[in-house]
C-alpha cells in the first residue's frame, strides 16, 4: 500500500509539472508547433536516464525512490521517458532487433490507435 501511495503522489506531482512546463514553453515559443510537448518529452527522458542511472545502478537508494521518481513522477510527466528507457535497456542487453521493433511498433501503432480513436469519436458525433 505504501508503494501505491508513493506512486500516486509522484504521479500527481508529475502531472502538475507537465501541465506547468507545457504552458510555460507554449506561451514563450508560441502555439504553431507542440514545443511544450517536445520539451516535456526531452526533459523527461533526460531525467529518466539520470534517475535510472542513479537509483538502479547506484548505491542501492531503494525501490521506493524508483517508484516515486520513475514510475510516479516521470510516468505522469511523460510516458515518452518510459518508452525511451525501455528501448535503451533493450539495446544494453544487445537486443537490437527488439529495440528497433519497440520503436517502430510504438510509434506506428500509437499513431494508428490515436487515429482510430479520433475516427470512432467522429462517428459518435
Amino acid at each position: 500500500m505504501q508503494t501505491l501511495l508513493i506512486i500516486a503522489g509522484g504521479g500527481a506531482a508529475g502531472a502538475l509539472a507537465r501541465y506547468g512546463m507545457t504552458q510555460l514553453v507554449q506561451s514563450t515559443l508560441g502555439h504553431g508547433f507542440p514545443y511544450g510537448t517536445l520539451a516535456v518529452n526531452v526533459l523527461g527522458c533526460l531525467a529518466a536516464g539520470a534517475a535510472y542511472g542513479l537509483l538502479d545502478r547506484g548505491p542501492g537508494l531503494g525501490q521506493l525512490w524508483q517508484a516515486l521518481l520513475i514510475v510516479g513522477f516521470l510516468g505522469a510527466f511523460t510516458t515518452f521517458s518510459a518508452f525511451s528507457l525501455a528501448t535503451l535497456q533493450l539495446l544494453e542487453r544487445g537486443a537490437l532487433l527488439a529495440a528497433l521493433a519497440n520503436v517502430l511498433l510504438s510509434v506506428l501503432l500509437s499513431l494508428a490507435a490515436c487515429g482510430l480513436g479520433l475516427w470512432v469519436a467522429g462517428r459518435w458525433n
Side-chain angles (χ1 to χ4, degrees):
M1 182 61 131
Q2 178 186 18
T3 301
L4 295 178
L5 292 174
I6 286 172
I7 291 170
L16 292 172
R18 177 188 183 89
Y19 177 78
M21 167 80 60
T22 301
Q23 295 301 309
L24 175 68
V25 171
Q26 289 300 139
S27 67
T28 302
L29 298 177
H31 296 278
F33 184 84
Y35 295 110
T37 301
L38 179 62
V40 163
N41 285 339
V42 172
L43 182 60
C45 289
L46 174 65
Y52 177 73
L54 291 171
L55 297 174
D56 191 61
R57 297 178 181 175
L61 293 176
Q63 296 289 63
L64 291 180
W65 280 104
Q66 282 187 333
L68 174 69
L69 296 175
I70 296 175
V71 178
F73 184 84
L74 292 173
F77 188 68
T78 173
T79 56
F80 203 76
S81 61
F83 157 76
S84 298
L85 185 56
T87 302
L88 288 174
Q89 288 170 334
L90 287 170
L91 288 172
E92 283 182 338
R93 292 196 310 256
L96 177 62
L97 289 178
L100 182 60
N102 187 45
V103 169
L104 292 175
L105 289 171
S106 293
V107 171
L108 295 176
L109 292 176
S110 294
L111 288 172
C114 190
L116 178 62
L118 287 170
W119 180 80
V120 168
R123 301 281 292 168
W124 281 337
N125 288 331

